[in-house]
Amino acid sequence: MNEVTVAVRARATNPTGRRAKGRGGLGQTAAYAVLVALALFVVVPFSWLILAAFDARATIFVKVPETWTVGNFRNLFADQDGFRLILNSVIYAGGATVVLIVVTTMAGYVLSRFDFPGRRPLMLGVLLIRVIPPTATIAPLYVIATDLGLLNTYRGVILILAALEAPLVLWIMKGFFDTVPIEIEEAAWVDGATRFGAMFRIVLPLAGPGVAAGGLIGFIGAWNQFLVPLVLISDQDKVPVSIGLFRAWVSYTRVDWGFLAAMATVYVIPAIAFYVIARRALQASIAGSLAGT
Amino acid sequence: MRPVRNWRDALTVVGFLAPALALVGLFIVWPAVWAVIQSFTNRSLTGAGALNPEFVGLENYRRLVRDEDLRSSLLRTAWFVFVSAIVGQTVVGFVVAYLMAERPGWRLRFMPVFAAIFVLPLAVPETVAALTWASMANGTESGLLNRALGTVDAGPVRWLQDHAFATVSVVNVWRGLSFAMVLFAAAFAGFPQQVLEAATVDGASPSQQLRQVILPILRPQILIFLMLTTITSFGIFGLVYFLTRGGPGNETEIVGIYIYNQAFRFFDIGFGSAAGVLLLLILLVPGVAYVRLMREQA
Amino acid sequence: MDLGDQAKGRLAAASTASYTRRGLVRRGVALGVAAAATGPARPGRAAQGDAVELTLLDHQEPRLALLEEMLPQFEEAMAAQGKNITVKILEGPAPDTEFLTKLTLDYNSGNAPDVTSFGATSTADFTAAGYLLDLTSRAEAWPDWAGHFYQQLRDEQVQADGKVYSVPREASIIQLFYRKDVLEANGIPTEQPASWQDLLDRMKAVTEKTGQPSLLFPAGEAWGGGTFFEGFIHLMLGTESPLYDDADRKWVVRSPGLSRVLTFYEEMTTSGVLPVEPLLNPEPWVATKYEAFPQGDLVATTSGTWGWIFDWGPEGAAPIEGLTEKVATWEFPTADGGETFVWGATGWVWGISAASEHPEEAWELVKWLASGEFMAANAVTIGATATRDDIQTIAPYNEYSFLVDAERRLADARSFRAPEGTERMVQAVGQATEAVITGDQTGEEAANTLAEQATELLGPDNVKEMQG
């Protein structure tokens, strides 16, 4: 997903200022038509979310509210359970992000800086692990989590969410460390800095935006997760928003749609915001060898 | 990059790698191995198999092979991947990225606006995507899609009851299209413009350019995306489970839901693990292809 | 509910519950999130040394609301005995299948609530897994158990090891509901049909006059567990063959009775009385019970007592005006005629976790839940009958004469106690009946398919065949 930054940046710096000529007319009109149709396809489903969230009498149907209100949001935060769901999501995704940043920064740094036997197979192995979907291993994962006493615990879900995002984020981190020339580091050693000192004081600040971006991408993944908490968390005080939405949705009737839409909105905002921020952070760094990550 | 020269370096490498490897090993690799082990048992979450799981040899695999529900679920999943991921996301995503990309003789306006719009579904959690589409696709006359149909005196259509498979496929396109467009946009941006200019000078028509210049050069990126989206779509669970829970009947029971149902609805952990192992084996094909492509790219 | 549970072909295990509760869920179950009840605040219950807090897991708004309303009475009753017991209500997910998943995961991980409720079909599996507390001696020491609970329901609680692990919460009575008005208008007799043939002949006569399918025994995969518990089993119990042999604990997957049942499905299909088309579509009960029956096209259908309230009652899913004049019930006829019967069986039960730290207090709670005013209110909430004979005068149950009348039938009702593997059998029956009603197979062919499929699903050690 980081590619977008490359795209944006490339376009921005591309000095092709010419206006299009030639076949223009008809072809371009058709192209606009396609793009507008697609934009509608993409945007329209959001209409329910936003309208219902501010509707005092929301339903499952898209309609312009007769009475606009922020009451749904007020209820959400005043209501113990609504607030609890959001807090739980923050704990899971936040915790997973912290774990992720620590472990993938360390591993990414080493993979970027050291050549050692098995480095390349290891990198490719990590890539292959990305192929394993949680759906395939969820049954044994449940059993393992039970045996380790991780069921119905924050730490269990945090660690598993971190593990699921780790391969991708590790590759991203490694890519960012690659962009910091080792010469800068070596210069610091000459000036008497220790290896760790140089890493913390020189490399991390330079790769900092990249590290943050990797963390945010991990956060988004963890924030969205549904299957893992569905299976590992049955204590209703510990379920995250994704499960809360599902439970409310499958209760079918007399659902408070406004409340639900407000919760979904609050749930979407960090995901989109962090994505935008991560994009900027990615732009700020030198998004070099990230193809396919 | 420097070779590891002394024990301190070696210690650093091992020490720094260990936490990440432990995490991934414990929660991804070990469950995959455990899946294989467990698939030879009748371990269950209820009944006698919960108290005393027994070794049952290849029994679960024998059942898998004969299970018609699994067979139809796999076919359904393959179809789901083909329709929504390969055709829907990849082809449409490529076409749109192609339209949006600037090249000699072609430049559209408002592209940053379109780019910003198209990126939206990418960050939306699958549960929210499902919820909004549940509203769109509501089967009564008041559902938005049906209201649109109503303007031409058609419908109402019970999307999630009578056309559940098509509906969830569209939702998956909606959700994954952004990723395709973003990836292909990047590929176009990195495209050597002078090659296209040369082709234009040589008098190649746009379709010739596309077929003879652009596609061959972008082939690796296209293949990489194809592999990635195939893998992800094979493993989809939440998006479809939220909307239909596999129903009506088994119509949308893709393999992720099949596995979940075996393990957590019929509580047959051993059998669910065997189905998981099968899914892993299937995904090994695009997985290895993906890794090889990436290796060539690097 | 409509979308997932009911239509889900293979969701056998939980579906006994699903079908009994469909009406309820339809009528209105408040959402989990906004109303997520963690129990009302209990005023002034500071710990007094031996204070005990029990956890009680249930689901769906009407039942949770009832518990919240009435549990303080239990706490007061305990306080009067000098026991300081409070009950914390935990809310499970609304759909029965999701609820069963949560409960099973809780049991498996050792996090189960002290007391909970589940469909009688789950008792055998939970018992075999060691999740439930043995209640045998406690039940024996409770005078009400032998004194008031219906013998048949008590028998149904006895598990393979001869012990009791559950107390019945409510009982389901299922009969044939028929449109008296339509039959009379068409000059067709309304007295109790004596045999399958008798029933079929009359329904054929109706179908000839109206051109519409007239008789519904749920069949096929779209109805989920309802095909078994609302359709198939009421025919099976009308034959001489057992479906399960308690003596050697094997399923009887081939028998003359099975062949006759599937052949009867074939006859219903070929004569046009069975509404095949709706049965093959999602939510088959909508086009049949909620549309064709109220319209008078469909003339007879199986239904539980809840149909009076939640399907066709004034506030039900598909109200029939003048319900009691237009609709009446028959017992199920048997294959060869003669004796007729109603189905009466345990619906949901109360159970105590084997891991409960407060088994004595939990037992006090279960006894209270299975007694007096709570059982009376609970039966009405669910639209089912009481499981003991001394509730009939208690309000609000006493106001529902059709429930009280149905309850009396428990004394001589037939039922099928769900042994281990029931959900697999339900799956096989769904497939076999589907093959018959689509015309893919004759009744005899489907009987072969059923035998093979059930053997495959249940394992060869757990099945046997009986030749006629």
Side-chain angles (χ1 to χ4, degrees):
Chain A
M1 45 181 86
N2 324 311
E3 296 294 336
V4 76
T5 62
V6 188
V8 171
R9 205 167 38 84
R11 196 172 298 119
T13 53
N14 210 347
T16 40
R18 299 161 278 211
R19 276 304 267 118
K21 283 193 218 114
R23 308 187 348 106
L26 198 60
Q28 297 211 346
T29 311
Y32 278 119
V34 170
L35 293 181
V36 168
L38 212 62
L40 281 177
F41 172 64
V42 165
V43 166
V44 166
F46 287 99
S47 58
W48 175 77
L49 197 61
I50 291 156
L51 292 175
F54 292 99
D55 192 339
R57 300 169 67 175
T59 63
I60 179 73
F61 307 118
V62 179
K63 65 179 173 77
V64 179
E66 283 163 33
T67 323
W68 292 83
T69 178
V70 290
N72 292 324
F73 292 94
R74 214 178 311 125
N75 290 345
L76 181 62
F77 289 101
D79 178 278
Q80 254 193 345
D81 299 301
F83 183 70
R84 184 86 224 173
L85 291 169
I86 294 167
L87 184 65
N88 287 338
S89 274
V90 170
I91 293 172
Y92 291 128
T97 307
V98 171
V99 173
L100 261 175
I101 288 181
V102 171
V103 304
T104 59
T105 308
M106 289 167 67
Y109 175 79
V110 163
L111 287 171
S112 167
R113 286 295 183 257
F114 288 99
D115 196 10
F116 53 92
R119 194 190 74 91
R120 218 173 135 76
L122 185 67
M123 286 294 295
L124 295 173
V126 167
L127 207 56
L128 188 61
I129 284 170
R130 273 191 73 192
V131 169
I132 301 178
T135 33
T137 55
I138 191 68
L141 192 59
Y142 171 81
V143 176
I144 290 169
T146 312
D147 292 347
L148 295 177
L150 294 177
L151 230 48
N152 273 318
T153 63
Y154 286 112
R155 64 179 191 284
V157 170
I158 285 172
L159 288 175
I160 291 169
L161 293 183
L164 289 175
E165 301 299 324
L168 170 63
V169 176
L170 175 56
W171 264 70
I172 294 176
M173 295 297 189
K174 188 243 169 207
F176 282 116
F177 285 119
D178 284 347
T179 62
V180 180
I182 193 161
E183 288 75 23
I184 298 179
E185 223 173 322
E186 284 169 342
W189 301 342
V190 172
D191 291 347
T194 62
R195 180 128 217 175
F196 291 110
M199 179 187 160
F200 280 106
R201 283 205 314 269
I202 314 285
V203 184
L204 267 186
L206 282 174
V211 170
L216 288 177
I217 285 167
F219 180 93
I220 294 170
W223 181 254
N224 294 355
Q225 243 293 335
F226 176 70
L227 178 62
V228 169
L230 179 69
V231 171
L232 294 189
I233 299 293
S234 69
D235 182 341
Q236 69 193 32
D237 292 337
K238 290 181 183 162
V239 300
V241 178
S242 55
I243 307 301
L245 285 175
F246 177 65
R247 295 265 164 84
W249 159 246
V250 294
S251 60
Y252 303 108
T253 38
R254 295 225 310 247
V255 176
D256 184 344
W257 294 107
F259 184 90
L260 201 59
M263 185 158 70
T265 306
V266 169
Y267 182 42
V268 164
I269 287 170
I272 291 187
F274 283 10
Y275 184 73
V276 171
I277 299 170
R279 252 175 50 163
R280 292 237 177 88
L282 283 160
Q283 266 168 288
S285 69
I286 310 154
S289 57
L290 282 176
T293 54
Chain B
M1 202 177 303
R2 310 147 53 91
V4 172
R5 274 183 288 217
N6 50 36
W7 63 269
R8 269 190 64 187
D9 282 359
L11 213 62
T12 309
V13 167
V14 172
F16 273 43
L17 282 177
L21 294 185
L23 199 61
V24 169
L26 186 59
F27 294 116
I28 305 184
V29 179
W30 181 233
V33 175
W34 210 187
V36 176
I37 298 170
Q38 243 175 203
S39 69
F40 298 112
T41 71
N42 70 348
R43 182 165 194 141
S44 168
L45 295 181
T46 186
L51 211 52
N52 299 306
E54 286 169 8
F55 180 77
V56 294
L58 288 171
E59 172 61 26
N60 287 324
Y61 289 98
R62 205 180 56 82
R63 249 178 77 196
L64 269 188
V65 172
R66 294 202 197 173
D67 189 0
E68 272 179 41
D69 286 334
L70 174 68
R71 210 173 309 148
S72 56
S73 174
L74 282 175
L75 284 175
R76 195 177 296 121
T77 313
W79 187 233
F80 176 73
V81 168
F82 179 77
V83 170
S84 67
I86 294 179
V87 176
Q89 295 174 4
T90 315
V91 175
V92 178
F94 184 87
V95 168
V96 172
Y98 175 69
L99 291 180
M100 289 176 70
E102 193 178 320
R103 57 185 175 276
W106 183 273
R107 183 164 179 239
L108 299 180
R109 293 199 290 163
F110 310 114
M111 285 311 105
V113 179
F114 281 109
I117 290 175
F118 291 154
V119 135
L120 280 176
L122 192 54
V124 172
E126 53 191 355
T127 42
V128 176
L131 191 60
T132 55
W133 274 95
S135 168
M136 294 297 108
N138 185 283
T140 66
E141 283 171 11
S142 309
L144 197 67
L145 287 179
N146 282 337
R147 262 190 273 165
L149 281 185
T151 59
V152 292
D153 284 332
V157 174
R158 304 196 312 158
W159 302 98
L160 283 168
Q161 285 81 35
D162 299 338
H163 304 281
F165 185 83
T167 308
V168 297
S169 298
V170 169
V171 179
N172 190 38
V173 172
W174 183 80
R175 187 124 194 291
L177 197 53
S178 316
F179 188 42
M181 286 191 283
V182 163
L183 212 111
F184 291 135
F188 278 114
F191 199 87
Q193 294 288 320
Q194 48 296 6
V195 179
L196 276 185
E197 277 163 24
T200 316
V201 172
D202 290 347
S205 74
S207 75
Q208 278 172 330
Q209 285 183 22
L210 181 63
R211 270 183 289 118
Q212 292 165 11
V213 182
I214 297 177
L215 282 179
I217 293 182
L218 294 186
R219 193 170 158 271
Q221 279 98 329
I222 296 172
L223 285 177
I224 284 176
F225 177 76
L226 265 181
M227 293 308 127
L228 260 185
T229 190
T230 299
I231 292 161
T232 349
S233 297
F234 248 97
I236 280 187
F237 173 78
L239 191 68
V240 179
Y241 191 76
F242 193 106
L243 274 172
T244 66
R245 290 191 284 153
N250 295 337
E251 198 185 323
T252 55
E253 194 186 64
I254 53 175
V255 68
I257 296 181
Y258 177 88
I259 294 173
Y260 175 85
N261 280 343
Q262 294 305 326
F264 299 107
R265 186 141 289 173
F266 301 129
F267 310 118
D268 202 336
I269 292 283
F271 188 66
S273 298
V277 170
L278 185 68
L279 176 59
L280 285 181
L281 290 177
I282 292 172
L283 287 181
L284 211 54
V285 177
V288 168
Y290 167 65
V291 170
R292 296 180 78 165
L293 283 164
M294 291 292 287
R295 195 175 54 189
E296 284 161 23
Q297 280 297 95
Chain C
M1 183 107 249
D2 316 333
L3 187 77
D5 285 354
Q6 283 296 317
K8 188 76 181 85
R10 295 165 25 266
L11 294 193
S15 284
T16 3
S18 312
Y19 78 80
T20 60
R21 279 142 215 251
R22 178 181 348 117
L24 264 185
V25 174
R26 175 171 298 278
R27 208 171 74 139
V29 172
L31 76 150
V33 174
T38 41
R42 311 277 181 208
R45 297 268 185 190
Q48 296 174 1
D50 57 348
V52 168
E53 186 186 70
L54 293 172
T55 50
L56 170 60
L57 175 71
D58 202 358
H59 73 151
Q60 295 180 349
E61 171 62 15
R63 256 160 286 151
L64 290 164
L66 183 66
L67 285 170
E68 270 176 47
E69 184 194 325
M70 295 188 70
L71 274 175
Q73 295 177 22
F74 166 72
E75 292 171 352
E76 280 160 25
M78 289 298 109
Q81 297 177 21
K83 294 176 188 160
N84 185 357
I85 304 176
T86 53
V87 183
K88 182 183 179 192
I89 302 172
L90 305 176
E91 180 187 349
D96 288 322
T97 48
E98 306 289 332
F99 180 75
L100 183 64
T101 295
K102 177 194 160 53
L103 180 58
T104 307
L105 294 186
D106 280 353
Y107 272 132
N108 189 258
S109 61
N111 294 322
D114 294 305
V115 177
T116 189
S117 188
F118 43 85
T121 40
S122 296
T123 316
D125 282 332
F126 283 166
T127 304
Y131 295 157
L132 298 177
L133 186 69
D134 178 2
L135 303 177
T136 317
S137 56
R138 292 181 179 86
E140 279 165 4
W142 184 27
D144 294 21
W145 183 246
H148 291 298
F149 281 86
Y150 285 94
Q151 173 78 42
Q152 183 193 332
L153 301 180
R154 274 186 286 133
D155 290 348
E156 282 176 5
Q157 311 312 310
V158 179
Q159 295 304 306
D161 59 3
K163 293 177 181 164
V164 170
Y165 296 85
S166 52
V167 173
R169 177 177 184 167
E170 82 265 344
S172 310
I173 303 287
I174 300 181
Q175 291 158 286
L176 270 177
F177 281 52
Y178 70 94
R179 289 292 298 258
K180 207 163 125 192
D181 54 336
V182 178
L183 287 181
E184 282 167 353
N186 285 293
I188 293 162
T190 59
E191 72 262 20
Q192 171 69 43
S195 65
W196 291 356
Q197 195 58 47
D198 189 1
L199 177 66
L200 188 63
D201 287 343
R202 274 189 241 176
M203 292 302 126
K204 274 194 213 164
V206 178
T207 294
E208 267 165 35
K209 294 205 171 158
T210 63
Q212 301 284 345
S214 52
L215 173 64
L216 176 64
F217 275 87
E221 298 191 82
W223 208 303
T227 286
F228 187 94
F229 285 103
E230 279 190 88
F232 169 84
I233 196 67
H234 309 301
L235 294 171
M236 194 66 214
L237 291 174
T239 72
E240 301 292 321
S241 308
L243 185 60
Y244 185 83
D245 191 335
D246 282 312
D248 50 8
R249 295 167 66 183
K250 287 181 195 292
W251 287 89
V252 183
V253 297
R254 189 193 298 274
S255 65
L258 267 170
S259 296
R260 290 192 69 172
V261 170
L262 289 166
T263 303
F264 186 65
Y265 270 109
E266 185 191 341
E267 286 166 8
M268 287 193 287
T269 305
T270 52
S271 60
V273 302
L274 194 73
V276 172
E277 171 71 27
L279 284 174
L280 297 176
N281 282 310
E283 302 178 343
W285 49 89
V286 173
T288 52
K289 291 174 112 175
Y290 296 164
E291 288 170 9
F293 192 71
Q295 282 160 15
D297 291 337
L298 185 67
V299 171
T301 175
T302 63
S303 174
T305 40
W306 53 87
W308 292 116
I309 306 176
F310 300 116
D311 290 350
W312 307 303
E315 303 199 347
I320 296 176
E321 220 171 298
L323 178 63
T324 46
E325 288 94 62
K326 290 179 180 169
V327 176
T329 59
W330 284 326
E331 303 191 350
F332 289 109
T334 47
D336 296 318
E339 205 182 340
T340 58
F341 68 96
V342 301
W343 159 277
T346 311
W348 277 39
V349 300
W350 295 109
I352 300 175
S353 167
S356 171
E357 287 172 16
H358 310 292
E360 294 318 317
E361 289 82 0
W363 174 243
E364 289 301 323
L365 176 58
V366 166
K367 281 198 290 187
W368 182 83
L369 289 167
S371 301
E373 287 175 11
F374 187 84
M375 181 176 277
N378 176 71
V380 169
T381 304
I382 291 167
T385 80
T387 56
R388 45 191 288 173
D389 62 12
D390 58 346
I391 308 291
Q392 295 166 2
T393 55
I394 303 179
Y397 189 61
N398 60 358
E399 296 156 23
Y400 289 73
S401 57
F402 58 87
L403 291 181
V404 176
D405 290 345
E407 181 205 304
R408 297 203 167 98
R409 303 306 314 274
L410 280 171
D412 61 348
R414 292 189 192 181
S415 74
F416 177 74
R417 186 174 58 83
E420 252 191 291
T422 298
E423 74 275 20
R424 299 290 179 196
M425 195 62 188
V426 169
Q427 190 181 339
V429 166
Q431 289 169 356
T433 51
E434 175 120 347
V436 171
I437 63 173
T438 54
D440 286 348
Q441 294 185 345
T442 65
E444 278 300 334
E445 286 164 354
N448 289 330
T449 312
L450 177 68
E452 286 164 21
Q453 183 72 11
T455 306
E456 177 70 24
L457 291 170
L458 293 160
D461 297 343
N462 298 316
V463 303
K464 68 174 184 179
E465 304 192 352
M466 270 183 189
Q467 302 306 328

